[in-house]
Amino acid sequence: MTTVGYGDFFPKSIPSRILGIICAFYGVYLVSLFLITLDNLLKLDQSETRSYELISRLEKKEALKLEAVNVITTGFRHKRAKRKAEEAGSPNSSYVSKKLKLFRKYLLKFSQIAKALRGNYGTETPEDGVRRELEDLRSSISSFEACVKVLGKHLEVEMPERKPTDVGIYHKGSTDDVTNDLKKES
């Protein structure tokens, strides 16, 4: 109904050409009506969408619990292996480093699932997303600073104290400044 064909058969008179055009438009109408009906049948309504989001959030929470168990278990195994290696006189053994790598792997998975779970709520505004990302960045910087301090102690290097504004990001407590800047720009 909607195709022209090869052109070997075609209407010759004006009324038959008009009828052919009407038939082509009617065919397009029928196909579009079918596609719209099919789309409406396959689309989730509001309650189904909420149920789906709830189920996916619950599945992620369950995965988070399993990863938390893995993190705690491998953390204790690493600590026990480190203690045994220190008692044996070889604190830097490959067994301890394997346990540490396994612990870090599970910790990374745990943090990825936790981040995905935090981002799974549909009520978050863009300002809340920026605020959450800044808090994540701030916690990453503070954990990095703690690692640098520990490394400095082990290497017996004196580390200078850093002010919160030295890095070039907003200092603690200024998340509202960032959201106010975003609101001014928009």
Side-chain angles (χ1 to χ4, degrees):
M1 291 289 284
T2 62
T3 59
V4 180
Y6 292 111
D8 50 352
F9 298 109
F10 57 91
K12 296 189 182 356
S13 66
I14 300 289
S16 61
R17 289 182 181 179
I18 292 172
L19 182 64
I21 290 172
I22 290 172
C23 287
F25 280 122
Y26 186 69
V28 170
Y29 170 74
L30 285 178
V31 169
S32 66
L33 188 65
F34 172 73
L35 290 176
I36 289 171
T37 305
L38 185 66
D39 181 51
N40 287 337
L41 287 174
L42 295 177
K43 197 182 295 184
L44 298 176
D45 63 356
Q46 188 176 9
S47 62
E48 291 172 335
T49 304
R50 284 183 185 168
S51 299
Y52 175 76
E53 288 174 357
L54 177 67
I55 289 170
S56 72
R57 214 177 308 144
L58 290 173
E59 287 175 349
K60 286 183 181 178
K61 282 186 179 182
E62 189 64 32
L64 187 68
K65 286 179 187 178
L66 291 175
E67 288 304 319
V69 168
N70 288 336
V71 168
I72 292 170
T73 304
T74 55
F76 279 123
R77 287 180 182 165
H78 168 68
K79 187 175 181 178
R80 184 176 36 179
K82 187 176 178 182
R83 191 178 313 135
K84 284 183 180 180
E86 286 175 354
E87 289 173 1
S90 59
N92 294 329
S93 69
S94 64
Y95 181 71
V96 175
S97 63
K98 286 179 186 176
K99 293 294 182 183
L100 181 62
K101 285 180 184 178
L102 190 63
F103 172 71
R104 287 182 179 165
K105 181 181 94 170
Y106 283 124
L107 188 62
L108 180 65
K109 276 185 177 178
F110 177 79
S111 63
Q112 288 172 345
I113 293 173
K115 189 172 184 177
L117 187 62
R118 278 182 290 179
N120 199 18
Y121 297 101
T123 59
E124 186 177 60
T125 63
E127 290 86 11
D128 293 335
V130 170
R131 181 177 287 124
R132 183 175 42 80
E133 289 294 326
L134 281 174
E135 292 300 323
D136 289 346
L137 182 63
R138 194 173 287 127
S139 66
S140 297
I141 289 172
S142 62
S143 65
F144 179 72
E145 286 175 343
C147 290
V148 167
K149 285 182 183 179
V150 169
L151 184 63
K153 286 180 183 178
H154 284 292
L155 297 175
E156 297 176 356
V157 176
E158 204 169 306
M159 305 300 287
E161 286 296 319
R162 184 189 66 80
K163 298 175 191 167
T165 57
D166 286 349
V167 181
I169 62 170
Y170 292 96
H171 54 85
K172 188 161 181 79
S174 67
T175 311
D176 295 330
D177 295 339
V178 174
T179 53
N180 289 337
D181 292 343
L182 287 172
K183 286 179 183 177
K184 287 177 186 175
E185 289 177 6
S186 60

